[in-house]
Amino acid sequence: MTEKASVPGPRRDMAMHNDWWVSGWEHVLPRQGFPLTMLIGTACQPGFTGSLDDLVHELFDGHWDMIGGDLDGALTFSWPDEEWDYEAAPEGREACEAARWEQFSAMLTTAGFPVPTTVRDLSELYLTWGLARCEDTPDGTRWSMPAALPLPGDLLPLDPELTERLDGIRWTMRTGPLLDTLIDHLVDDLGEPAETLTSLDRLAAATGQDVDDVRLALAELVKSGDARVQRGEEPADAERLEAHRRFRLVMDWEHFHENRIQVSRDD
């Protein structure tokens, strides 16, 4: 829980659990799941004791628009003031909201959990699911969260499409930074070579990564069509390369630049 974002006029910084995005809960819960997780993450900071209501009063004088006012605000899957994207959801806000609630309610009922209607109800489910803990201490009520959040699929019966989507998100977030580091080495250090004679342990040393992480990044590079791995004239399986064995990394830079978003930063 290290990522922090300042908000106007608080007496402490807001804190967000880093595992929120990787876990995939934002694709399962109503929209207030995000600010609720931020609120609980903030309550976990040293120096705070009290209820979530106390924290809302301390930070926002008792009214926080992101959760619909206070903990008794109604849960929704869409932001009331957002412009509706009729191209993505032509059925409209009300029909889309109703369909999301039907799916969400069925999922929780099947798993034997009550269907929450308010942010407070959802906070109780967080305690039931182990996303948060709350205990009374001599100094007052203390909140905590586990280092790794339980995954939605461990607690709820997700449909196959959502399961596949969440698995893909977690895999991308796992391999994305590793792939970026490898690409930075090929571009910035080697100047986009068409071919490179190398090995996993050499790439690991050059990028400061673990050999297994480099193997994952290389496999993703090949899977995306940006590169080929060869030993001699024969193709090699990037996922089964031995750490010390040399191979040729053949890059398709035209494909790479056509299919990847380039982000430029001004230092």
Side-chain angles (χ1 to χ4, degrees):
M1 294 176 288
T2 57
E3 294 197 7
K4 296 184 179 180
S6 295
V7 295
R11 288 186 283 274
R12 67 181 74 247
D13 287 333
M14 298 295 286
M16 187 62 186
H17 198 298
N18 285 331
D19 205 37
W20 169 255
W21 294 275
V22 179
S23 65
W25 280 106
E26 66 175 323
H27 301 279
V28 175
L29 299 177
R31 66 169 179 85
Q32 286 91 347
F34 173 79
L36 174 60
T37 304
M38 186 182 295
L39 190 67
I40 296 174
T42 305
C44 295
Q45 294 183 57
F48 177 78
T49 56
S51 68
L52 297 181
D53 294 282
D54 293 333
L55 189 57
V56 172
H57 279 281
E58 177 184 321
L59 295 177
F60 306 103
D61 293 327
H63 185 93
W64 189 18
D65 286 339
M66 283 192 72
I67 61 171
D70 57 25
L71 295 181
D72 294 312
L75 296 172
T76 62
F77 282 94
S78 62
W79 298 91
D81 56 350
E82 70 178 340
E83 183 178 349
W84 191 254
D85 187 348
Y86 283 95
E87 188 171 320
E91 67 273 25
R93 186 192 305 276
E94 291 185 6
C96 184
E97 186 82 6
R100 291 292 304 274
W101 271 109
E102 182 179 358
Q103 181 184 38
F104 183 62
S105 299
M107 186 166 51
L108 266 69
T109 300
T110 299
F113 297 112
V115 180
T117 59
T118 67
V119 180
R120 192 181 307 279
D121 294 341
L122 186 57
S123 71
E124 292 297 324
L125 276 178
Y126 272 42
L127 296 173
T128 300
W129 289 337
L131 272 71
R133 305 185 189 96
C134 182
E135 61 177 335
D136 293 325
T137 72
D139 296 324
T141 302
R142 288 285 299 138
W143 287 83
S144 63
M145 300 182 79
L149 298 179
L151 300 180
D154 294 339
L155 298 166
L156 301 172
L158 307 182
D159 64 61
E161 181 181 350
L162 181 56
T163 297
E164 183 179 358
R165 181 151 61 97
L166 295 187
D167 287 345
I169 290 170
R170 282 192 286 272
W171 181 251
T172 298
M173 294 190 75
R174 165 76 174 96
T175 60
L178 307 178
L179 184 55
D180 288 343
T181 300
L182 177 59
I183 289 172
D184 285 345
H185 170 60
L186 296 172
V187 174
D188 298 336
D189 299 336
L190 302 183
E192 298 191 9
E195 292 189 14
T196 305
L197 182 62
T198 187
S199 63
L200 289 178
D201 51 11
R202 286 189 176 189
L203 289 174
T207 59
Q209 297 189 104
D210 181 85
V211 166
D212 289 335
D213 287 342
V214 173
R215 185 182 285 108
L216 279 179
L218 193 62
E220 285 299 297
L221 199 62
V222 171
K223 183 178 178 181
S224 66
D226 293 327
R228 303 192 318 273
V229 171
Q230 295 185 195
R231 298 206 61 235
E233 296 302 320
E234 296 298 320
D237 186 344
E239 297 183 32
R240 289 177 169 76
L241 290 170
E242 298 177 26
H244 64 283
R245 297 294 295 270
R246 291 190 180 187
F247 60 86
R248 284 193 303 135
L249 177 59
V250 183
M251 294 294 301
D252 185 342
W253 289 109
E254 183 177 352
H255 183 278
F256 173 86
H257 289 298
E258 284 179 354
N259 293 279
R260 291 188 182 271
I261 298 174
Q262 300 297 299
V263 179
S264 59
R265 294 177 298 180
D266 295 326
D267 296 328

